[in-house]
């Protein structure tokens, strides 16, 4: 795989498409507008579960739950639907004529023995990140919206802005000062179009590019051990990566939980091209989402080591090129099953696909 800068480590990984895992179920009112952008988690019964975003009429989303069916070779091929685990039934998760709990990501963090779900609450002032936690992957407890700690050196307040693509690291990592911490990647959107479209957003100090990019924030492990609700109060915010190549010219965002590989932390991400019409919070017809990869330093995950100069997966199949939002592959979950690693992704905001992540042949 070609890389973007001289002397950067190679990213020797490829994605091989397997096929469609989940389609909307005919006659199911919870799925009439699509199933997409799932999380995954292992249950206490040893089964792997899918947590898809289910979209009902009016673009109202829930987080579902389904057991993943494997074939004889261990590849995901089907699902058995179960009861949804999260609905937009809190006042801050919906507005008068819109709402939803969207795009879950789940990370199991062994050091706190907890599954942490991030999701987007599409509430009265637009999309805001929120958290829920579970011991077994079946029963979930809301921790509430993420409240980013104020840092005067940034000259702005991250809580002013919508934020998406929030995902936790699966291990404790050092923060920039060496403090053992739980870290999250997130994607602030310097965009007031949902509430004050004529207002110029106050960008963080030193930021000259207003395209949505990947940031990292930290919560000291000791704080979380004292009170799990500390997960909603991250600090130490730092820019990690922005748009660099033509295939990510509009914006980028993190996908599944970072995967530890020999080279560091592998972060699958989406790159977007096209034109946003009518604001960032309405369905778009003129965008294209593809999947690439970032490589972060395992000793300092705020440090970008390398990135793929070309996408690993692009919309090609009928399911990826035609749907609610055409031309979308949107990776959101990654799991090792036996000796193989699988990536679960949204297909054109309508279905869910599976690809296998493997090391490229030397």
């Amino acid at each position: 795989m070609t890389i973007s800068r001289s002397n950067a480590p190679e990213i020797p990984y490829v994605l091989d498409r397997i096929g469609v895992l989940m389609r909307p179920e005919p006659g199911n009112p919870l799925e009439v507008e699509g199933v997409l952008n799932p999380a995954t988690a292992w249950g206490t019964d040893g089964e792997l579960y899918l947590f898809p975003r289910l979209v009902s009429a009016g673009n109202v989303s829930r987080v579902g739950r389904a057991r993943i069916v494997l074939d004889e070779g261990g590849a995901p091929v089907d699902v058995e639907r179960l009861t949804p685990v999260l609905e937009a039934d809190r006042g801050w998760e919906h507005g008068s004529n819109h709402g939803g709990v969207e795009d879950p990501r789940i990370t199991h963090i062994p050091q706190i023995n907890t599954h942490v779900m991030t999701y987007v609450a599409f509430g009265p002032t637009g999309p805001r990140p929120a958290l829920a936690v579970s011991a077994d992957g079946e029963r979930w407890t809301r921790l509430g919206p993420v409240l980013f700690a104020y840092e005067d050196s940034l000259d702005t307040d991250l809580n002013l802005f919508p934020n998406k693509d929030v995902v936790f690291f699966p291990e404790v990592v050092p923060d920039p000062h060496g403090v053992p911490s739980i870290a999250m990647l997130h994607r602030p959107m310097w965009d007031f179009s949902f509430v004050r479209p004529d207002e110029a957003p106050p960008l963080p100090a030193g930021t000259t590019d207003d395209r949505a990019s990947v940031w990292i924030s930290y919560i000291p492990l000791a704080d979380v051990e004292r009170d799990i609700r500390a997960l909603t109060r991250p600090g130490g915010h730092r820019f990690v990566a922005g748009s660099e190549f033509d295939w990510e010219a509009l914006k980028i965002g993190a996908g599944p939980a970072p995967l530890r590989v020999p080279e560091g932390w592998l972060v699958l991400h989406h790159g977007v091209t096209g034109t946003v019409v009518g604001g960032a919070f309405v369905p778009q017809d003129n965008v294209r989402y593809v999947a690439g990869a970032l490589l972060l330093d395992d000793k300092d995950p705020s440090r970008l080591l390398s990135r793929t100069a070309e996408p690993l997966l692009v919309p090609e199949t009928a399911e990826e090129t035609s749907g609610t939002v055409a031309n979308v592959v949107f990776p959101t979950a990654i799991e090792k099953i036996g000796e193989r690693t699988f990536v679960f992704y949204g297909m054109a905001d309508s279905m869910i696909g599976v690809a296998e992540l493997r090391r490229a042949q030397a």
Side-chain angles (χ1 to χ4, degrees), residues 206-228:
T207 300
T208 57
D209 189 337
D210 65 358
R211 292 177 292 182
S213 303
V214 177
W215 284 58
I216 190 171
S217 297
Y218 303 86
I219 311 99
L221 175 61
D223 291 354
V224 179
E225 291 175 330
R226 283 191 294 268
D227 182 356
I228 192 70

Side-chain angles (χ1 to χ4, degrees), residues 87-130:
E87 304 199 26
D89 53 13
R90 302 296 194 270
W92 53 275
E93 294 172 339
H94 63 82
S96 299
N97 299 298
H98 72 274
V101 289
E102 304 177 350
D103 297 352
R105 269 87 153 180
I106 294 174
T107 305
H108 182 251
I109 305 176
Q111 288 90 341
I112 58 172
N113 194 29
T114 301
H115 295 286
V116 182
M117 177 194 293
T118 66
Y119 65 96
V120 176
F122 191 31
T125 60
R128 300 295 298 269

Side-chain angles (χ1 to χ4, degrees), residues 71-288:
D71 67 13
E72 293 182 356
V77 293
D78 203 353
V79 298
E80 294 179 356
R81 287 166 171 81
L82 300 167
T83 303
V85 297
L86 209 65
E87 304 199 26
D89 53 13
R90 302 296 194 270
W92 53 275
E93 294 172 339
H94 63 82
S96 299
N97 299 298
H98 72 274
V101 289
E102 304 177 350
D103 297 352
R105 269 87 153 180
I106 294 174
T107 305
H108 182 251
I109 305 176
Q111 288 90 341
I112 58 172
N113 194 29
T114 301
H115 295 286
V116 182
M117 177 194 293
T118 66
Y119 65 96
V120 176
F122 191 31
T125 60
R128 300 295 298 269
L131 304 184
V133 293
S134 174
D136 58 11
E138 183 175 358
R139 292 169 289 272
W140 293 85
T141 300
R142 286 173 172 84
L143 298 185
V146 174
L147 299 173
F148 293 96
Y150 174 72
E151 297 186 6
D152 196 56
S153 61
L154 289 180
D155 194 34
T156 197
D157 176 8
L158 292 188
N159 297 300
L160 292 173
F161 304 100
N163 202 312
K164 288 189 173 185
D165 303 322
V166 179
V167 64
F168 280 87
F169 284 73
E171 299 176 16
V172 171
V173 299
D175 76 359
H177 305 291
V179 176
S181 300
I182 293 175
M184 65 159 65
L185 299 175
H186 54 103
R187 207 269 310 270
M189 303 164 66
W190 317 122
D191 186 348
F192 286 164
S193 63
F194 194 80
V195 289
R196 293 184 65 85
D198 297 325
E199 185 73 26
L203 299 179
T207 300
T208 57
D209 189 337
D210 65 358
R211 292 177 292 182
S213 303
V214 177
W215 284 58
I216 190 171
S217 297
Y218 303 86
I219 311 99
L221 175 61
D223 291 354
V224 179
E225 291 175 330
R226 283 191 294 268
D227 182 356
I228 192 70
R229 291 172 295 182
L231 288 171
T232 65
R233 301 187 293 274
H237 322 302
R238 280 169 167 71
F239 171 87
V240 174
S243 300
E244 184 168 327
F245 298 108
D246 289 344
W247 52 273
E248 49 187 21
L250 190 61
K251 58 184 176 181
I252 68 170
L259 179 68
R260 183 179 280 281
V261 295
E263 298 82 7
W265 287 108
L266 183 70
V267 178
L268 297 181
H269 76 292
H270 57 266
V272 188
T273 53
T275 304
V276 173
V277 178
F281 310 122
V282 297
Q284 299 295 319
D285 297 323
N286 301 296
V287 292
R288 182 173 186 259

